[in-house]
Amino acid sequence: MSKNKSSESVKVVVRCRPLSRKEESSGPAGGIVQMDLRLGQVILRNPRAPPSEPQKTFTFDAVYDANSKQRELYDESVRPLIDSVLAGFNGTIFAYGQTGTGKTYTMQGAWLDPEKRGVIPNAFDHVFTHISRSQSDKQYLVRASYLEIYLEEIRDLLDPNHTNARGLELRENPDTGVYVQDLTSCVCKSIKEIEEVMNVGNQARAVGATDMNEHSSRSHALFLITVECSQPGPDGRKHIRVGRLNLVDLAGSERQAKTGVQGERLKEAAKINLSLSALGNVISALADGRSGHVPYRDSKLTRLLQDSLGGNAKTVMVATLGPAPQHYDETLTTLRYANRAKNIQNQPRVNEDPKDALLREFQREIARLRAQLNYRKWRSKQKNEQMEGESWDGDREKETEGEEDEEVEKEAEEYVKLEEQRLEREKEAIRGDEYMVAEEKQRLLGEKERMMVDLRKEQEATEQLTAKYKAMESKLLVGGKNIIDHTNEQQKMLEMKRQEIAEQTRNEREIQQQMLAQDEETLELRETFTSLQQEVEAKTKKLKKLYTKLQCIKAEIKDVNDEHVKSRQELEQTQNELTRELKFKYLIIENFIPPEEKNKIMNRLIFDPEEDQWKFQPLVPAESKSSQMKKRPTSAVGYKRPLSQYARVAIAMGGHSRYRAENIMFLELDVTPPNTTLFDRSKDAELNQSPSLDNSPTKEKGIRKSHSWCQTPKSMTSSSSNVSLAACHTATPAAAHDCLTDFSVRPTAGTQTHHRHLC
Ligand code: ADP
Ligand code: MG
């Protein structure tokens, strides 16, 4: 499975957006970020520091200033990564930076303006253009998924019910790494289709959030593209390579203010900070290289990006900056973050013939459907042969696969037509036969009619099979066939030239950076001094230079220390607030929840090592759940509802008021002789008129005695689990009431049946 085991570092590029109109008007100071595009350096000026303080310089793989074009960034820094994905590597591009610095602009851009299209739409173009220009022996399957992580919950943006559904779970597979369980993935056959998928996801994101800007700065969005490619290898077998591309637009990196917030807001801020600080910790641990433990498990984001950071993937990080002086601190933090990420080493390798390749399943299914179709064709031929006595034309079996596909449908249609004609002819012959008895004629005609119906059914089945086969096959993209490449030769040349230039720029920058580093090293060696005076001068100059460097590093150390102190204070504050809340919850538990209830809850808690958190066990144990849920409770004829265990206990307990579900109190009417007039009595009788009531003894007395449905003999034991009422489907409630008194106790097999009369 592994090829090319060499490791390579995460590519880090920095982009600075132009000053916004508001920023321009608010301060005359201008931007604080300067860029040296040739060397790939960012120079940051501290607006609060005296001019004598040295500026901070950072070097990256590439830098893009305010005038940079979307296309430049794509061609220079992203294109090689997408090419690797198409060759079967895993690839990740993530945009990191403060809110409003251009993460979404870089990743998505303005779709309608070709100049402003971001990394994602350009990647779509790139993938499908590559497929259309590749050789025709290659088959591709492209899938897309879209998810967001908000408050440590994974939401599927392509699932229409995602807003009501619970967050998705992460799972780990030894072969493919961490993946999201049950995530929707859409097979896309063209740029248009994949753009549609993106739009659907973006809309779902906007609908789920009340304020899109606010929401997008607090949630991480991941667009995943899987490209599977099958190509015949030298061994003659088809080999599949799977490239996975993660396009990540992270939440704003600014710290969520936690001071003064409580409860849900505090937890929300803590969770948002959590995933980004977890990402920072992972980057630090990897960049450091010495700490053995990398805290991937601290957040969902870091688990999902596990392969992209220090694993099997090629990764590009785009750090975005704003040039405004008021964001100096955040800009510096972003630059430090990006600088650290440069040191991460990944081990990308081609994913060859993985077990879970969907393309393989598709190919198998297509082969199966084709075999079924061919069998049908063969069967119809055979029938034809039997009917007409023709000999089977063996030569025709030698048709090639492709031709066969097209022929199958045509021949099936032809066969049906011929058969129909033949049956019609036979029917006519039967009708015209004067010597046949009418009954016999009818029977034969009926038989032919049945044959006709069967034939049509068969045809329908074949049509369905063909449709399914075609639908499956259309999902696979064949190199240079399915997608028509609209670009002409001139445009293609232009594209290639542009790519070459991008490649050259990249190489030049690399060489420049190397030269700079070497210069500093070799300067010392090359120096020869003619006089002592010259040597003193040179050494003094060098000393000054080194002193400046020392000052820079000291300032850096101080900055880092300050930052650490600040984040520690913040963490302590969060801890204090969370401890306070925890104590409050404990107080409620100790004082308001009965100990037995607490124990029940505690007993249901289990630790899920997969998720790294405590979870509740379901109330019904998982294995017996299905059987218990399916079993219908034993109904008791005449009762208003099926008998539960509770009710059975109630019956066994007798008329204990605790178990009474209705008529909790017996409100016996006074047994005083009625002193109503005849008129009233007859009216009353009319109201309660019912044939079965006529000879009810209670009615006679004008008193209706209240019975509880759970009135039972005292002698009954609680183990009489299959107590049921004798059949008494009497229509009226009063009659049913009387029937309540007639119990039949059906004990378990082997014992005798008793009948008890309660009244
Ligand atoms: P984020 O996603 O980081 O919060 P956005 O991408 O929404 O930030 O960018 C904020 C604003 O800045 C948008 O109006 C966007 O058009 C503008 N912007 C960002 N980067 C650039 C750039 N490189 N060139 C021009 N405008 C930009
Ligand atoms: Mg954004």
Side-chain angles (χ1 to χ4, degrees):
M1 174 153 168
S2 69
K3 257 191 180 183
N4 186 6
K5 266 241 162 188
S6 66
S7 73
E8 65 166 54
S9 54
V10 169
K11 298 258 172 306
V12 182
V13 304
V14 172
R15 186 180 203 186
C16 182
R17 70 157 165 76
L19 270 172
S20 69
R21 225 169 276 153
K22 199 170 140 213
E23 286 164 351
E24 265 173 0
S25 59
S26 65
I32 52 165
V33 179
Q34 260 182 37
M35 286 180 158
D36 185 334
L37 305 186
R38 213 170 44 90
L39 281 174
Q41 282 186 339
V42 180
I43 300 129
L44 188 69
R45 176 174 64 84
N46 184 354
R48 293 184 294 262
S52 59
E53 197 187 282
Q55 294 177 340
K56 292 187 168 65
T57 308
F58 299 87
T59 308
F60 297 99
D61 291 290
V63 292
Y64 299 93
D65 63 7
N67 304 318
S68 63
K69 301 263 177 307
Q70 296 274 45
R71 195 82 216 178
E72 268 173 51
L73 183 132
Y74 187 83
D75 283 339
E76 273 180 40
S77 303
V78 184
R79 187 171 283 280
L81 182 89
I82 309 288
D83 280 331
S84 305
V85 170
L86 289 164
F89 286 95
N90 293 341
T92 300
I93 303 159
F94 64 94
Y96 177 91
Q98 199 192 342
T99 301
T101 50
K103 293 183 298 299
T104 309
Y105 181 83
T106 301
M107 294 308 285
Q108 308 221 18
W111 287 66
L112 297 177
D113 185 348
E115 286 285 304
K116 290 187 181 165
R117 282 159 73 88
V119 166
I120 295 177
N122 281 327
F124 293 167
D125 282 357
H126 186 165
V127 169
F128 285 99
T129 312
H130 174 92
I131 295 173
S132 74
R133 290 181 191 169
S134 62
Q135 287 155 357
S136 59
D137 63 346
K138 286 187 181 172
Q139 267 187 335
Y140 289 90
L141 184 72
V142 182
R143 281 181 285 155
S145 304
Y146 199 6
L147 63 92
E148 78 170 348
I149 306 176
Y150 182 62
L151 296 185
E152 283 304 285
E153 271 213 352
I154 300 175
R155 297 180 188 177
D156 187 348
L157 292 174
L158 302 181
D159 178 5
N161 305 320
H162 83 281
T163 35
N164 348 338
R166 280 192 60 237
L168 299 180
E169 304 277 331
L170 284 175
R171 292 273 171 271
E172 200 158 354
N173 181 327
D175 293 326
T176 50
V178 180
Y179 67 97
V180 183
Q181 199 179 26
D182 300 330
L183 183 67
T184 312
S185 97
C186 302
V187 174
C188 302
K189 295 184 298 238
S190 62
I191 298 173
K192 216 170 142 236
E193 277 188 25
I194 202 165
E195 281 181 354
E196 188 64 37
V197 168
M198 179 103 222
N199 283 338
V200 167
N202 280 344
Q203 269 162 22
R205 217 179 160 200
V207 167
T210 40
D211 178 353
M212 186 54 202
N213 263 345
E214 174 82 341
H215 182 80
S216 86
S217 68
R218 287 157 175 262
S219 69
H220 312 288
L222 273 86
F223 193 83
L224 318 171
I225 307 176
T226 313
V227 185
E228 298 185 8
C229 171
S230 133
Q231 190 182 18
D235 57 355
R237 285 179 45 221
K238 279 185 178 174
H239 290 279
I240 293 182
R241 290 175 169 191
V242 181
R244 293 185 197 87
L245 176 64
N246 303 319
L247 299 154
V248 191
D249 187 355
L250 292 176
S253 62
E254 64 278 2
R255 295 207 143 260
Q256 304 287 332
K258 283 180 294 190
T259 37
V261 292
Q262 278 185 342
E264 286 305 307
R265 289 276 294 133
L266 171 73
K267 269 192 261 169
E268 186 187 63
K271 271 186 177 169
I272 293 162
N273 284 346
L274 172 86
S275 52
L276 279 165
S277 57
L279 185 67
N281 294 341
V282 165
I283 291 177
S284 297
L286 287 166
D288 186 19
R290 275 172 297 176
S291 51
H293 174 69
V294 183
Y296 290 117
R297 285 184 164 268
D298 283 1
S299 79
K300 297 235 158 88
L301 177 72
T302 45
R303 279 199 77 193
L304 264 178
L305 294 180
Q306 186 162 346
D307 254 344
S308 315
L309 298 165
N312 168 23
K314 294 188 176 216
T315 304
V316 174
M317 172 177 174
V318 184
T320 55
L321 309 175
Q326 59 267 41
H327 298 313
Y328 170 77
D329 289 334
E330 282 296 343
T331 308
L332 184 63
T333 314
T334 306
L335 284 169
R336 286 219 177 95
Y337 214 89
N339 206 31
R340 245 179 283 158
K342 276 192 322 192
N343 302 325
I344 299 175
Q345 291 292 318
N346 284 352
Q347 291 81 37
R349 55 176 190 267
V350 173
N351 304 312
E352 201 154 45
D353 291 325
K355 282 189 215 109
D356 62 341
L358 197 67
L359 187 57
R360 180 85 69 218
E361 270 174 46
F362 267 60
Q363 282 173 342
R364 278 200 202 117
E365 182 66 12
I366 287 171
R368 196 181 63 82
L369 290 173
R370 185 190 285 148
Q372 270 187 21
L373 276 171
N374 281 348
Y375 172 69
R376 277 173 181 273
K377 181 187 144 192
W378 175 81
R379 212 173 48 184
S380 50
K381 284 255 176 197
Q382 289 263 310
K383 278 188 193 164
N384 229 357
E385 198 184 293
Q386 278 171 12
M387 297 291 179
E388 309 211 343
E390 283 171 7
S391 67
W392 173 254
D393 186 1
D395 287 349
R396 302 201 56 183
E397 258 187 315
K398 288 174 197 146
E399 288 166 311
T400 60
E401 228 175 50
E403 280 173 350
E404 238 177 85
D405 280 354
E406 287 162 23
E407 293 272 302
V408 170
E409 219 183 338
K410 232 165 52 188
E411 285 193 18
E413 267 174 31
E414 244 168 54
Y415 163 72
V416 171
K417 225 187 273 170
L418 283 175
E419 274 291 288
E420 269 180 359
Q421 281 170 6
R422 192 176 59 81
L423 285 170
E424 274 306 323
R425 270 202 310 275
E426 281 175 8
K427 268 161 90 175
E428 279 304 310
I430 294 167
R431 278 197 207 103
D433 193 343
E434 288 166 12
Y435 302 104
M436 210 179 269
V437 190
E439 230 171 64
E440 180 71 4
K441 237 186 206 179
Q442 207 57 40
R443 192 183 62 78
L444 282 175
L445 279 174
E447 206 171 278
K448 294 289 167 207
E449 200 58 49
R450 262 202 310 284
M451 279 167 83
M452 202 87 127
V453 172
D454 284 351
L455 192 71
R456 289 211 184 103
K457 266 191 202 155
E458 178 125 335
Q459 190 194 4
E460 251 169 48
T462 313
E463 270 169 15
Q464 273 175 8
L465 206 65
T466 318
K468 202 171 161 194
Y469 170 72
K470 282 193 170 165
M472 285 295 275
E473 211 187 32
S474 75
K475 285 187 178 158
L476 296 190
L477 301 171
V478 178
K481 192 175 162 192
N482 294 59
I483 314 163
I484 302 141
D485 189 5
H486 293 288
T487 44
N488 57 29
E489 282 306 310
Q490 216 175 352
Q491 275 174 313
K492 270 188 207 170
M493 284 299 289
L494 206 72
E495 251 175 55
M496 269 169 64
K497 281 273 171 273
R498 220 172 43 206
Q499 283 164 34
E500 268 173 35
I501 292 169
E503 175 102 39
Q504 223 164 346
T505 321
R506 218 169 31 236
N507 289 343
E508 246 173 59
R509 195 180 304 119
E510 258 172 46
I511 293 168
Q512 290 272 7
Q513 286 178 358
Q514 276 171 12
M515 266 170 57
L516 195 75
Q518 268 174 9
D519 264 4
E520 277 179 13
E521 279 173 28
T522 52
L523 202 64
E524 212 174 317
L525 301 172
R526 273 194 270 119
E527 268 173 339
T528 48
F529 307 107
T530 46
S531 68
L532 208 62
Q533 180 63 26
Q534 203 184 7
E535 192 177 342
V536 170
E537 265 173 31
K539 293 253 157 103
T540 319
K541 221 164 105 188
K542 201 167 153 195
L543 196 68
K544 266 189 190 160
K545 213 165 141 190
L546 285 177
Y547 185 73
T548 327
K549 234 180 188 173
L550 181 74
Q551 292 306 317
C552 277
I553 289 169
K554 271 189 180 166
E556 189 81 18
I557 292 171
K558 191 177 165 291
D559 279 357
V560 173
N561 264 341
D562 287 352
E563 208 179 295
H564 272 271
V565 170
K566 216 162 92 187
S567 61
R568 214 182 70 187
Q569 278 172 350
E570 261 179 40
L571 285 175
E572 274 171 2
Q573 193 197 346
T574 314
Q575 196 193 12
N576 284 343
E577 276 161 25
L578 289 175
T579 315
R580 208 175 57 209
E581 260 195 36
L582 191 71
K583 276 188 186 161
F584 177 59
K585 297 239 157 97
Y586 267 129
L587 200 81
I588 294 175
I589 292 171
E590 294 306 327
N591 293 293
F592 295 96
I593 299 182
E596 64 272 14
E597 291 301 320
K598 189 183 123 191
N599 284 341
K600 268 189 222 164
I601 295 169
M602 295 293 273
N603 289 338
R604 275 176 60 209
L605 276 176
I606 46 159
F607 187 73
D608 182 358
E610 184 78 26
E611 285 281 300
D612 219 9
Q613 62 183 18
W614 289 91
K615 282 188 168 176
F616 273 120
Q617 251 175 343
L619 271 171
V620 185
E623 59 276 6
S624 60
K625 196 176 178 179
S626 52
S627 60
Q628 283 208 2
M629 294 304 283
K630 274 178 204 151
K631 209 174 117 195
R632 203 172 163 277
T634 326
S635 17
V637 181
Y639 275 131
K640 284 178 181 171
R641 51 187 79 85
L643 265 186
S644 65
Q645 181 66 33
Y646 182 83
R648 284 186 202 127
V649 175
I651 291 165
M653 292 287 289
H656 194 282
S657 57
R658 184 184 170 89
Y659 289 95
R660 242 170 245 160
E662 51 193 45
N663 293 348
I664 291 170
M665 282 165 63
F666 285 111
L667 291 175
E668 307 255 345
L669 292 177
D670 287 342
V671 197
T672 47
N675 54 0
T676 47
T677 61
L678 194 64
F679 170 73
D680 283 342
R681 279 175 66 88
S682 65
K683 201 174 174 191
D684 191 34
E686 234 172 69
L687 279 173
N688 292 304
Q689 193 139 28
S690 166
S692 59
L693 275 179
D694 283 355
N695 41 15
S696 149
T698 49
K699 177 78 176 30
E700 282 295 293
K701 283 184 259 168
I703 301 159
R704 293 189 63 190
K705 199 171 177 182
S706 293
H707 289 271
S708 170
W709 58 272
C710 61
Q711 238 181 344
T712 52
K714 298 274 186 293
S715 59
M716 203 170 287
T717 59
S718 61
S719 63
S720 58
S721 55
N722 38 15
V723 174
S724 69
L725 281 179
C728 51
H729 302 272
T730 22
T732 58
H737 216 239
D738 291 341
C739 280
L740 282 177
T741 56
D742 187 12
F743 276 90
S744 76
V745 181
R746 267 190 265 122
T748 42
T751 52
Q752 263 192 316
T753 305
H754 308 273
H755 289 274
R756 290 170 196 230
H757 295 275
L758 300 184
C759 301

